[in-house]
Amino acid sequence: MLDKLDTLKIFCTAAETLRFRETATRLGIAPQQVTRGIAELEQQLGEMLFIRNTRQMKLTTFGLHFWPKAEALLANSDALFAEGKRKNVQEMAGSVHVTLPPLFENQDILHRLLQRLIDYPAINIQWLPCDSHLNIIDEQIDIGIRIGAIPDNRFIVRTIRPVGINIVAAPDLIARKGMPVSLHDLQYHFPLSALNNSNSGRIWPWQFADGSSFFPEQPAFISADIGSELASALAGRTYSQLPDMTVRPYLRRGELVNILPEYNFHPWHLYIFRPHQPLLPSRVRLVFELLTQILSEVFEEQ
């Protein structure tokens, strides 16, 4: 159940925008949270706040009268907590270590984070993009962002979105080599790229929606990072299996084509996590919540 002040913030923003999706974007939350927050507030009040149909949304008579009262209450609550917030800003000092994979969106994510920390100049962000999975506890890292299986209950985890993998190739390569008719045909008769596993020294297998997998037979290109593998696909060198969130803009622009889409697979999640800590520093909690919002915004916008 949402906090009452949170539901009032959701309501006042929705009353201004008259669009739940725009409300979610402004507040940096999921659209489902907006719907749930309005429903909870209506249940607490015993009154409908909005009239909604497929074409439009507007405030009810009760909602119109309730809106200025809600705005006034929020303004008073902001004033009440202002002194405590000033003290909290003074306590927000020290380093926050963040590890994450080398996502193409990293620059945008970091830019948004640093903008939102403008009022906390004493927080020192240690930004650690890394291909390998660092041991977040042994390395004394505060926050991790990863693509993979959700970790165990030693961690606080927020799931951002599922991550799939697509087989892709450039149109000119398809024009030269043709379209594979099966996974067996793809494995043995087409130039494939491979991604090196830095932990084992071997290449990663390709995995598919039907549960099968294979290792590329004599790969035409091997890389230790997804960015280089993407470059090989865009250059028309290889058919490659890459994360859907990586290839989406290139598919939209026609620079890549999804090959054998029936085998698209969704084995992983993008998630943010931190260790359980009984006395979590306020600066770490703040950065964790900000990054959770930012990741949701960045990957919902795609």
Side-chain angles (χ1 to χ4, degrees):
M1 188 171 182
L2 293 168
D3 179 89
K4 287 184 178 180
L5 286 178
D6 288 336
T7 61
L8 288 178
K9 289 177 184 175
I10 290 171
F11 164 69
C12 289
T13 307
E16 181 181 347
T17 64
L18 294 178
R19 289 183 177 88
F20 279 8
R21 183 165 292 278
E22 184 178 343
T23 298
T25 300
R26 287 195 186 186
L27 295 176
I29 61 178
Q32 296 90 334
Q33 284 183 271
V34 175
T35 304
R36 186 169 72 248
I38 295 298
E40 288 181 8
L41 186 57
E42 288 178 333
Q43 185 175 15
Q44 291 166 357
L45 294 169
E47 294 280 353
M48 295 293 293
L49 295 167
F50 295 96
I51 300 171
R52 303 185 288 276
N53 57 40
T54 56
R55 293 186 303 277
Q56 63 177 348
M57 182 172 79
K58 62 181 183 179
L59 286 162
T60 62
T61 301
F62 180 87
L64 283 168
H65 287 93
F66 182 71
W67 184 11
K69 298 176 183 177
E71 292 276 17
L73 180 58
L74 287 174
N76 288 335
S77 70
D78 287 342
L80 179 64
F81 289 106
E83 183 177 345
K85 184 178 180 181
R86 284 192 292 272
K87 180 182 177 183
N88 192 39
V89 168
Q90 294 173 357
E91 294 173 352
M92 291 285 192
S95 295
V96 179
H97 295 74
V98 182
T99 181
L100 69 165
L103 302 167
F104 289 95
E105 296 83 3
N106 278 1
Q107 187 174 359
D108 185 21
I109 294 166
L110 179 58
H111 178 74
R112 296 188 193 208
L113 175 63
L114 296 179
Q115 279 191 321
R116 296 181 197 190
L117 289 174
I118 196 72
D119 292 329
Y120 303 93
I123 293 180
N124 174 25
I125 298 296
Q126 305 267 336
W127 195 251
L128 306 169
C130 183
D131 278 325
S132 59
H133 282 188
L134 299 178
N135 187 312
I136 195 169
I137 295 176
D138 291 349
E139 301 284 343
Q140 296 185 323
I141 292 169
D142 299 299
I143 298 168
I145 299 169
R146 285 185 185 164
I147 296 173
I150 301 298
D152 57 41
N153 57 11
R154 291 178 300 162
F155 302 98
I156 303 295
V157 179
R158 304 277 180 84
T159 301
I160 304 301
R161 57 158 289 172
V163 177
I165 41 180
N166 296 351
I167 308 165
V168 297
D172 62 334
L173 179 60
I174 296 170
R176 296 196 314 270
K177 297 290 186 179
M179 190 77 76
V181 297
S182 66
L183 292 180
H184 183 273
D185 187 30
L186 177 68
Q187 181 181 11
Y188 290 99
H189 302 128
F190 291 83
L192 307 183
S193 66
L195 186 66
N196 194 53
N197 183 338
S198 58
N199 295 317
S200 69
R202 302 181 61 202
I203 61 174
W204 290 98
W206 286 28
Q207 302 178 71
F208 307 101
D210 64 355
S212 65
S213 64
F214 68 61
F215 288 92
E217 187 74 13
Q218 298 182 338
F221 181 84
I222 301 175
S223 172
D225 67 282
I226 289 173
S228 298
E229 196 176 12
L230 172 64
S232 175
L234 288 168
R237 175 73 174 175
T238 55
Y239 295 73
S240 301
Q241 190 177 54
L242 293 163
D244 56 2
M245 55 196 276
T246 298
V247 300
R248 181 178 289 109
Y250 302 99
L251 292 174
R252 280 202 298 256
R253 294 196 295 265
E255 297 173 47
L256 292 173
V257 176
N258 191 181
I259 306 300
L260 301 173
E262 63 272 24
Y263 291 104
N264 287 353
F265 186 38
H266 290 81
W268 308 309
H269 284 87
L270 173 66
Y271 60 91
I272 182 171
F273 69 111
R274 61 174 175 80
H276 276 289
Q277 289 180 266
L279 296 173
L280 184 70
S282 297
R283 66 182 183 278
V284 175
R285 188 182 304 279
L286 172 67
V287 173
F288 184 79
E289 295 301 330
L290 287 175
L291 278 172
T292 301
Q293 294 174 8
I294 291 166
L295 289 168
S296 298
E297 292 167 7
V298 168
F299 292 103
E300 185 180 359
E301 290 169 5
Q302 293 185 354

